[in-house]
Amino acid sequence: MHAQIVLFDGFDPLDVVAPFEVLHAGGTASGGSVTVELVSAEGAREVVGGTGGLTLRATAALDPERADLVLVPGASGRVGEAEDGAEEVFGEAAVGVPGAAPGPQPAEVVDQPIPVLLGRTLTTELPALLRAAMDDPSVTVATVCGGSLVLALAGLLEGRHATTHHLGLDLLDATGAHAVRARVVDDGDLVTGAGVTSGLDLALYLLEREAGPRIAHAVEELFAHERRGTVWRDQGPVPAALRAAAP
């Protein structure tokens, strides 16, 4: 399995680094059957993250034809300021002509509202590349935290089951996706994770699904991490209503 983890300006570093380390360790544990690289829509470049200007290098362009797994992180920035970013998410900047010069200065990325950072991805080639990945049944698309909102705002999640950070569930639902309040949601060739640290659980689940439980368990032990939460799937009977226990 070859995984490409997408970098975009303002990405959340933990959304990227946690899955990268899990998948890289999985490659070692499996004798090389799992490989992983950092990519961007623009190709090889330095990409500024949203946390303190931490910069990671994309070594190649996102290419769904070379990938078995494409993983999209969320953004890191100010929260609770959706109005500040609403125009860029839903207004002209979101539907403008792609091709703005890559590689902004840290000051243009750091401490920006998260909706602004997510909205800016829509002015790049990323939505078209993600659509190509979503249209290919041999490619699994995964997201961590607000990464599912990148897909949703690009119109790629209508009718799909997905999750995101708890602060973004209403927005996810409003785009036509079926928002699920779960740590990890498996919707076949779409696997999404909730808040930031769910990247560990998401990557371990993907490793188990694609490379086997013994490989995933070995990596889990290496990182001294016990996975949290239930992996939600659209399977089985619909649960009856439950009541909370009386105090």
Side-chain angles (χ1 to χ4, degrees):
M1 177 180 74
H2 181 60
Q4 294 189 330
I5 300 179
V6 179
L7 301 180
F8 58 83
D9 299 317
F11 69 89
D12 190 311
L14 188 55
D15 291 3
V16 170
V17 173
F20 184 94
E21 287 213 32
V22 168
L23 295 172
H24 184 269
T28 301
S30 64
S33 68
V34 178
T35 55
V36 58
E37 64 179 335
L38 301 180
V39 300
S40 82
E42 298 79 17
R45 69 180 181 99
E46 302 291 322
V47 187
V48 180
T51 302
L54 179 65
T55 300
L56 296 178
R57 177 164 181 78
T59 58
L62 170 60
D63 182 359
E65 293 186 1
R66 292 197 305 113
D68 303 296
L69 169 67
V70 173
L71 190 148
V72 185
S76 176
R78 296 202 305 272
V79 298
E81 301 184 33
E83 285 189 10
D84 292 351
E87 183 177 342
E88 290 204 54
V89 173
F90 299 108
E92 288 187 2
V95 294
V97 177
Q105 297 301 308
E108 300 175 64
V109 173
V110 176
D111 204 33
Q112 294 293 316
I114 287 176
V116 170
L117 297 171
L118 295 176
R120 285 176 182 170
T121 66
L122 303 182
T123 68
T124 71
E125 296 295 332
L126 184 56
L129 291 167
L130 293 176
R131 182 178 295 278
M134 295 284 289
D135 287 345
D136 186 342
S138 69
V139 177
T140 296
V141 176
T143 67
V144 180
C145 201
S148 57
L149 293 174
V150 173
L151 295 172
L153 292 171
L156 301 178
L157 291 192
E158 187 171 355
R160 301 298 300 265
H161 294 91
T163 192
T164 188
H165 190 283
H166 64 274
L167 294 178
L169 285 169
D170 287 344
L171 176 57
L172 181 63
D173 200 58
T175 66
H178 300 302
V180 181
R181 191 178 294 272
R183 184 79 168 168
V184 174
V185 172
D186 182 339
D187 198 37
D189 59 0
L190 173 69
V191 184
T192 54
V196 185
T197 58
S198 69
L200 279 170
D201 302 304
L202 174 85
L204 283 165
Y205 172 70
L206 289 168
L207 196 58
E208 178 181 1
R209 196 175 87 158
E210 303 299 330
R214 296 179 68 177
I215 298 297
H217 182 254
V219 174
E220 190 175 66
E221 281 198 315
L222 175 67
F223 290 167
H225 173 74
E226 294 185 5
R227 280 180 276 177
R228 294 173 49 200
T230 299
V231 176
W232 187 96
R233 303 179 187 85
D234 189 19
Q235 297 174 1
V238 176
L242 299 175
R243 291 184 179 181

